[in-house]
Amino acid sequence: MPSHLVCFNSSCRAQYPITDVLYNCPKCGGLLEASAPEALDPARLKPLWRERRMSNAPLDQSGVWRYRELLPFDGQFEHVVTIREGNTPLLASPRAAAYGGLRAVTFKHQGFNPTGSFKDNGMTCGASQGRRLGMKRVACVSTGNTSASMAAYAAQAGMQAIIFLPHGNISYGKLAQALEYGAKTLQVEANFDQILKLVRVLAEQLGIYLLNSVNPFRIEGQKTIMAEMLDQRDWHVPDWVVVPGGNLGNVSAFGKALRELQAAGFIDRLPRLAVIQAEGSAPFEAFMHTPTHDSFPTVDHPETLATAIKIGDPVSWPKAWNEVATSGGLVEKVTEQEIADAKAVVGASGIGCEPASAATLAGIRKLTASGRMPPDADVVAILTGNVLKDPDYIYRYHTGGLTAHSGPIKGAFENAPIVVPNDPQKIAALLA
Ligand code: F0G
């Protein structure tokens, strides 16, 4: 059966053609997902996916389209727009492991993507679908990375990008990318959650293709992060995959990928998914503690200096909940201080990441300290964004000027630059 859209709501499961422009189920309003790929043969695909790494064909060089059998395009790839996304490394860090209370930890660093975040994995797929549908304009609301990514892919695809940002609440690195890639950029005096509602109305009204993670094609592309990670580990399944949670698209994509790969026989068990949120923007963590799970406790005024995950009303929470539950995973929250120090440790190990990404290591430290994650666990932590995304945060941390809503951050790993005179004697004395 060709790929199609399916309502995620288990009591509905209505189906729609893959080329319908839908973000929610017209029958019940539920989230939509792409149907699972059929007839995947691990014995054929594992060596084929490996072989494609040697190829010079653009589709094969992409760390997303190399795994194209997992994506709902049914062999039709003529609309694909790729900037050779994915291809992100697995990096070991003994220093971060020690800080996190683990014997070893591996980072899957999505900041190595062309626009510096995991959004590129999803955006190549979303933008390609936009082209397949003949869309001329694409839109998103963003805490910065989605917009940077969408701007680049729209430019490559010859579509106009229209970006909505929460004014004053995204880092300059990300805003700069959107401007440089030529997107029409609107800064709205509202928060992410409010603007998402606005953009959904406008997209419908103006016939603009919406490329937030409510778009099922974004989720499909982000599935390949798990396929690539497993491929890089010779299909050896880790015990845990740890990921920061904001709008909860990424964890939804990871869970779907892992379930599909298990169903097809690529892997024989699921890693446990751990989602880490920032304390001031942690509705999913709060939801997991509600006794009956019958309503979602949105946060009206989310706060965190990790602006990428400053979200109080995450659209994908029903999917995320399903994936965390199915994998036997959990949700934890960490403080501004914990994020800041964990980030400095990732940096000091020569790897570096943006603030939201560091929630993973901060979360690992908390989970090992409380005995929920054993020290010898095999853990893959996802670093979602590049260290250069938010240099302002870094400078302030290392010079003692970083202040969160919860109060000033005391940089335990502060490393301030030193001003010196142009005098070799004095500099030598300082370095002695
Ligand atoms: N880490 C980074 C660096 C992000 O940019 C985001 C989301 C997340 C984690 C959270 O991922 O939403 O899938 O749970 N950034 C979005 C944006 C919201 O607009 O760029 P999620």
Side-chain angles (χ1 to χ4, degrees):
M1 189 173 178
S3 300
H4 48 280
L5 296 170
V6 192
C7 177
F8 179 74
N9 192 342
S10 58
S11 60
C12 176
R13 296 303 281 174
Q15 298 188 8
Y16 306 94
I18 200 74
T19 46
D20 276 10
V21 183
L22 296 172
Y23 312 105
N24 283 93
C25 177
K27 288 210 179 94
C28 78
L31 294 167
L32 292 173
E33 62 178 2
S35 55
E38 286 174 358
L40 296 179
D41 176 8
R44 185 179 76 86
L45 290 174
K46 282 183 183 178
L48 178 63
W49 289 346
R50 190 60 68 85
E51 228 173 82
R52 285 178 182 162
R53 288 197 208 171
M54 304 291 289
S55 159
N56 284 330
L59 277 189
D60 294 343
Q61 285 193 339
S62 162
V64 171
W65 298 98
R66 182 177 307 137
Y67 304 98
R68 50 191 174 268
E69 286 78 6
L70 297 175
L71 305 176
F73 283 81
D74 302 311
Q76 293 168 12
F77 303 112
E78 66 272 25
H79 298 295
V80 167
V81 45
T82 171
I83 323 178
R84 312 303 187 269
E85 52 291 317
N87 296 308
T88 63
L90 285 179
L91 303 171
S93 171
R95 185 168 187 156
Y99 182 79
L102 290 172
R103 243 164 256 161
V105 70
T106 309
F107 292 118
K108 173 84 172 143
H109 205 328
Q110 293 303 112
F112 281 61
N113 260 298
T115 78
S117 84
F118 71 94
K119 304 292 180 178
D120 294 343
N121 287 70
M123 203 55 75
T124 183
C125 206
S128 299
Q129 177 68 3
R131 269 179 121 190
R132 166 155 88 169
L133 298 171
M135 293 291 173
K136 299 280 180 286
R137 297 196 288 180
V138 290
C140 70
V141 54
S142 180
T143 56
N145 281 324
T146 297
S147 51
S149 183
M150 192 189 82
Y153 282 87
Q156 284 267 325
M159 301 186 289
Q160 189 194 17
I162 305 165
I163 283 166
F164 296 79
L165 302 173
H167 188 37
N169 275 295
I170 82 162
S171 72
Y172 273 113
K174 299 172 188 178
L175 175 60
Q177 283 181 289
L179 302 179
E180 187 79 355
Y181 296 136
K184 187 175 276 299
T185 304
L186 309 175
Q187 296 187 280
V188 187
E189 302 279 2
N191 69 29
F192 177 93
D193 307 299
Q194 296 162 330
I195 304 171
L196 181 55
K197 293 190 177 88
L198 171 82
V199 175
R200 293 181 72 149
V201 173
L202 283 171
E204 182 101 19
Q205 224 172 59
L206 304 175
I208 304 172
Y209 195 48
L210 186 62
L211 279 175
N212 278 104
S213 59
V214 67
N215 184 318
F217 289 86
R218 283 273 316 280
I219 302 285
E220 288 301 301
Q222 286 168 219
K223 287 192 319 192
T224 61
I225 299 168
M226 288 297 100
E228 186 179 72
M229 178 272 290
L230 288 163
D231 186 4
Q232 287 165 321
R233 291 171 51 102
D234 298 322
W235 301 94
H236 181 72
V237 181
D239 299 323
W240 292 86
V241 172
V242 186
V243 61
N247 215 14
L248 302 176
N250 219 15
V251 63
S252 302
F254 289 5
K256 185 171 192 279
L258 293 162
R259 283 186 292 105
E260 289 175 358
L261 290 168
Q262 187 188 30
F266 286 82
I267 51 175
D268 56 9
R269 67 187 177 94
L270 298 175
R272 300 175 72 183
L273 294 172
V275 180
I276 316 296
Q277 297 206 287
E279 199 177 51
S281 305
F284 190 38
E285 192 272 342
F287 171 75
M288 297 305 275
H289 287 113
T290 58
T292 52
H293 298 310
D294 52 9
S295 75
F296 191 83
T298 55
V299 174
D300 288 342
H301 302 289
E303 292 288 358
T304 174
L305 292 178
T307 48
I309 50 174
K310 191 173 175 180
I311 293 175
D313 188 7
V315 281
S316 291
W317 71 262
K319 289 184 178 177
W321 180 29
N322 176 58
E323 303 307 348
V324 168
T326 305
S327 75
L330 52 78
V331 186
E332 185 50 281
K333 63 180 176 188
V334 288
T335 65
E336 295 296 303
Q337 183 72 53
E338 288 167 332
I339 292 174
D341 288 335
K343 178 174 144 54
V345 171
V346 176
S349 47
I351 291 175
C353 65
E354 69 158 285
S357 312
T360 53
L361 181 59
I364 288 169
R365 187 172 156 94
K366 207 166 167 182
L367 293 173
T368 55
S370 61
R372 283 171 293 171
M373 185 181 275
D376 61 350
D378 179 358
V379 180
V380 173
I382 311 297
L383 297 180
T384 45
N386 191 281
V387 67
L388 286 174
K389 287 282 189 174
D390 197 348
D392 187 53
Y393 181 110
I394 300 178
Y395 184 77
R396 288 207 229 171
Y397 175 88
H398 287 292
T399 55
L402 192 61
T403 302
H405 70 285
S406 48
I409 304 289
K410 212 193 136 332
F413 303 98
E414 213 175 281
N415 181 28
I418 307 160
V419 180
V420 292
N422 184 7
D423 179 336
Q425 248 93 52
K426 285 191 177 143
I427 296 175
L430 187 92
L431 295 176

